[in-house]
Amino acid sequence: MFKTLLMAVTVAVLGLLGYASTRPDTFSLERSVTVQAPPDKIFPFLADFHQWSVWSPWEKLDPAMKRSFSGAASGQGAVYAWEGNKDVGSGRMEIRSARPVSSVDIQLDFLAPFEAHNTATFTLVPQNGATAVTWTMQGPMPLISKVIGVFVSMDQMVGKDFEAGLANLKAAAEK
């Protein structure tokens, strides 16, 4: 009986790994919101990591989170690193480019609870006195991420956080 159970578990694990390996090698996640403010009022919230505490959905998950800022004060070259509880983990972000009032590109490196290296982009597009703000994240999907993705999609895991962050950004910029 033990041998049969072991064989069944082995077949199930191999089947899961085989199926997961057929999934895409990259992911892309995107959310948007319309903010009743001009791009020049929104841009500083994105290009200055010191402002992220106002709107980021992860900032309040660990009140004891350790933060450090280095590089440029804001814009290209600004660096933000964090180390926190299991809800926020640890990692580092660096602004790779910041085109005033139109976009911010960020290299996002998670170190814990798992390692991941992604790119986040914010784009701002003026629309009849308002601004469409789009937050995109893209990155590779290694095998372990593909296996997890069989049960929970990246969109389900992170999409709600993007929506909360954009709602916070909207509220802050519309004040």
Side-chain angles (χ1 to χ4, degrees), residues 33 35 42 45-46 55 122 133 164-174:
V33 69
V35 179
I42 302 164
F45 286 107
L46 305 173
W55 65 269
F122 293 91
V133 179
L166 288 171
N168 294 342
L169 178 65
K170 176 180 173 69
E174 289 179 352

Side-chain angles (χ1 to χ4, degrees), residues 45-46 48-53 55-59 65 67-72 75-82 90-96 104-111 116-122 135 137 162:
F45 286 107
L46 305 173
D48 182 352
F49 287 133
H50 297 91
Q51 296 293 319
W52 281 47
S53 62
W55 65 269
S56 172
W58 298 287
E59 286 288 325
M65 183 168 58
R67 300 165 181 84
S68 65
F69 302 92
S70 60
Q76 186 172 349
V79 175
Y80 170 61
W82 73 93
S90 64
R92 179 183 187 276
M93 295 187 287
E94 181 174 349
I95 297 178
R96 294 297 187 174
V104 176
D105 295 318
I106 299 169
Q107 176 62 43
L108 177 56
D109 298 311
F110 295 101
L111 304 174
H117 305 283
N118 303 321
T119 302
T121 302
F122 293 91
W135 186 358
M137 185 169 66
F162 275 33

Side-chain angles (χ1 to χ4, degrees), residues 2-3 5 9 31 40 47 56-57 70 85 101 107 116 140 142 150 161:
F2 177 73
K3 197 173 191 178
L5 180 59
V9 169
R31 293 293 190 274
D40 63 336
S56 172
S70 60
N85 64 20
V101 303
Q107 176 62 43
V150 169
D161 294 328

Side-chain angles (χ1 to χ4, degrees), residues 4-36:
T4 303
L5 180 59
L6 183 61
M7 183 71 103
V9 169
T10 301
V11 168
V13 168
L14 290 175
L16 174 63
L17 291 173
Y19 175 69
S21 70
T22 67
R23 308 210 17 120
D25 292 331
T26 61
F27 77 92
S28 182
L29 171 69
E30 179 177 297
R31 293 293 190 274
S32 297
V33 69
T34 300
V35 179
Q36 299 301 317

